[in-house]
Amino acid sequence: MDMEAPVNTPPSIGLALSGGGFRATAFGLGALRALHDCGLLTQIKVVSAISGGSLLAAMWAYGPADFEEFDDDVTTLVRTGLQAELARRALAPRRMVNGVAGKLRAAPGLPGQRLRTHSRTEALVAALKARPFGARDITDVTHPNLATVITATDLITTNTVRFGSRVSACSAIGRITGPIPVADAVAASAAFPILLPSLVRSYDFQDRRGGISSHPVAMTDGGVYDNLGLSPLQPGRSCAHTDHVYDLDYVFAIDAGRGRKTKHRAPYLLPRLARSFDITYNKTQDAGRAQLNLAAQHGTIRGFLHAYLAMQDRNLPVPVADWIRREKVISYPTNFRAVPAEAFRDLTLRGEQLTRVLLAHYCPELRVRT
């Protein structure tokens, strides 16, 4: 099926930014540099992001309009880090008192029992709100015609909570009404379960019959549900079942995953459980990528590009001068600590190199500038 767009019609591109802490933020920044340099960043119609990718997406979508200023802001944040600031904010006397009060209110059997709030995650919200992009409302994007989707996972309904510039919703409950700070959306998406407890909020939801009711949600890392952020960008989604449906020509996935562990015997209970989770996780990711590859083959979309940090160097379609090799970036951890200068350079440059070469090789019809 010929899906060629009419001459002079700009393509409609969906961009997915995966999770992975500052590793994902830095790798994704490199990819955005390539898209900007190739003249394609303005063709992004929707950005769907998770965890560390949601931080990058928020800084781009709700930050300065000038790309160089945005680039400088991200570079400064990633090089400075958030860990020390989060510790200071979490240990502030007022936040510690609020944390203890939240624990007491959540005690079983007490009248008016509530979900527990957590000082560490609220510290992340405060740190993000202290920055201009985090203080903005989720509907107030910088770039015209850009839609955002920032995904968190609700531990109560076990569904996603998707915050967006056009609509915010939980499919099990309905659409969220009222203002939502960008800081809340990013903190919910980035609340990695081992390090940060869930972010608790109560929202007014409007169901499909128009009724409005208040429901609590306990939100953890969006990567628990979809670490690549591809689900909202899949073709063929129905408005009868989801509020996030987008008509796209291309889907670009920027994936900061570190690849599969191939040497792992997992002889004890906890390693076996972790290994089983990894297998299920990888299977889900494979299914999402396979659907988009099939959509491209069948002409449902014009193309799917997957820039994967852990890609084997031998699979590079063409040689690249001064290529940042896989072993230089593959072991970088998932956290929000300050990224050293050399590691930041390697992560961003690999993201830029990989995105540029894959675009030129697999999407030459986009007339990529080199």
Side-chain angles (χ1 to χ4, degrees), residues 80-157:
T80 304
L82 276 173
Q83 295 282 83
E85 180 180 351
L86 294 182
R88 288 195 303 272
R89 289 182 179 274
L91 294 174
R94 180 179 176 183
R95 187 154 284 114
M96 292 183 70
V97 169
N98 289 340
V100 172
K103 185 176 182 179
L104 292 174
R105 286 194 297 266
L110 289 182
Q113 180 187 4
R114 304 180 190 176
L115 290 173
R116 181 183 173 186
T117 56
H118 302 275
S119 58
R120 280 177 290 163
T121 317
E122 294 295 346
L124 176 57
V125 173
L128 296 173
K129 269 189 181 175
R131 293 160 170 85
F133 76 91
R136 295 177 78 160
D137 186 81
I138 198 72
T139 60
D140 188 19
V141 291
T142 300
H143 307 283
N145 303 316
L146 175 67
T148 60
V149 183
I150 295 175
T151 298
T153 305
D154 177 29
L155 295 174
I156 299 174
T157 65

Side-chain angles (χ1 to χ4, degrees), residues 5-325:
V7 177
N8 298 327
T9 299
S12 178
I13 301 171
L15 177 67
L17 299 173
S18 85
F22 272 166
R23 184 181 72 246
T25 306
F27 182 71
L29 176 62
L32 291 187
R33 287 174 179 173
L35 292 172
H36 172 70
D37 192 47
C38 294
L40 294 175
L41 200 56
T42 56
Q43 306 308 320
I44 304 296
K45 301 306 178 188
V46 55
V47 55
S48 171
I50 306 288
S51 192
S54 73
L55 176 61
L56 178 66
M59 295 186 75
W60 172 51
Y62 299 95
D66 179 72
F67 185 84
E68 300 304 325
E69 188 178 348
F70 150 75
D71 192 318
D72 288 344
D73 286 351
V74 177
T75 299
T76 299
L77 179 60
V78 176
R79 291 281 292 107
T80 304
L82 276 173
Q83 295 282 83
E85 180 180 351
L86 294 182
R88 288 195 303 272
R89 289 182 179 274
L91 294 174
R94 180 179 176 183
R95 187 154 284 114
M96 292 183 70
V97 169
N98 289 340
V100 172
K103 185 176 182 179
L104 292 174
R105 286 194 297 266
L110 289 182
Q113 180 187 4
R114 304 180 190 176
L115 290 173
R116 181 183 173 186
T117 56
H118 302 275
S119 58
R120 280 177 290 163
T121 317
E122 294 295 346
L124 176 57
V125 173
L128 296 173
K129 269 189 181 175
R131 293 160 170 85
F133 76 91
R136 295 177 78 160
D137 186 81
I138 198 72
T139 60
D140 188 19
V141 291
T142 300
H143 307 283
N145 303 316
L146 175 67
T148 60
V149 183
I150 295 175
T151 298
T153 305
D154 177 29
L155 295 174
I156 299 174
T157 65
T158 69
N159 286 78
T160 58
V161 178
R162 290 197 168 105
F163 300 98
S165 55
R166 296 181 184 174
V167 61
S168 297
C170 176
S171 60
I173 308 173
R175 293 187 173 194
I176 300 173
T177 63
I180 300 168
V182 171
D184 282 20
V186 175
S189 182
F192 186 62
I194 296 176
L195 302 175
L196 292 169
S198 58
L199 180 69
V200 174
R201 292 289 184 268
S202 287
Y203 295 118
D204 289 334
F205 289 88
Q206 183 177 40
D207 61 33
R208 294 190 177 274
R209 293 174 294 181
I212 295 179
S213 55
S214 180
H215 294 268
V217 285
M219 298 173 289
T220 193
D221 195 317
V224 173
Y225 196 95
D226 172 19
N227 194 47
L228 297 183
L230 287 176
S231 296
L233 309 182
Q234 293 281 359
R237 286 163 63 85
S238 169
C239 293
H241 301 100
T242 177
D243 289 293
H244 293 279
V245 178
Y246 304 95
D247 185 17
L248 301 170
D249 299 313
Y250 294 86
V251 175
F252 297 163
I254 310 303
D255 180 358
R258 291 186 290 182
R260 302 189 180 195
K261 301 173 184 176
T262 56
K263 296 181 180 179
H264 196 304
R265 295 184 180 181
Y268 303 110
L269 176 60
L270 290 179
R272 287 201 305 271
L273 291 175
R275 189 63 166 166
S276 298
F277 177 80
D278 285 342
I279 293 168
T280 303
Y281 203 63
N282 290 329
K283 182 181 178 182
T284 302
Q285 290 190 333
D286 288 347
R289 289 189 292 258
Q291 283 183 318
L292 284 163
N293 277 312
L294 286 172
Q297 291 174 20
H298 295 160
T300 309
I301 58 175
R302 296 174 62 194
F304 169 56
L305 182 144
H306 181 214
Y308 184 28
L309 178 140
M311 186 192 78
Q312 297 291 338
D313 295 331
R314 62 178 178 272
N315 294 333
L316 198 67
V318 295
V320 175
D322 300 319
W323 173 245
I324 300 298
R325 297 190 62 81

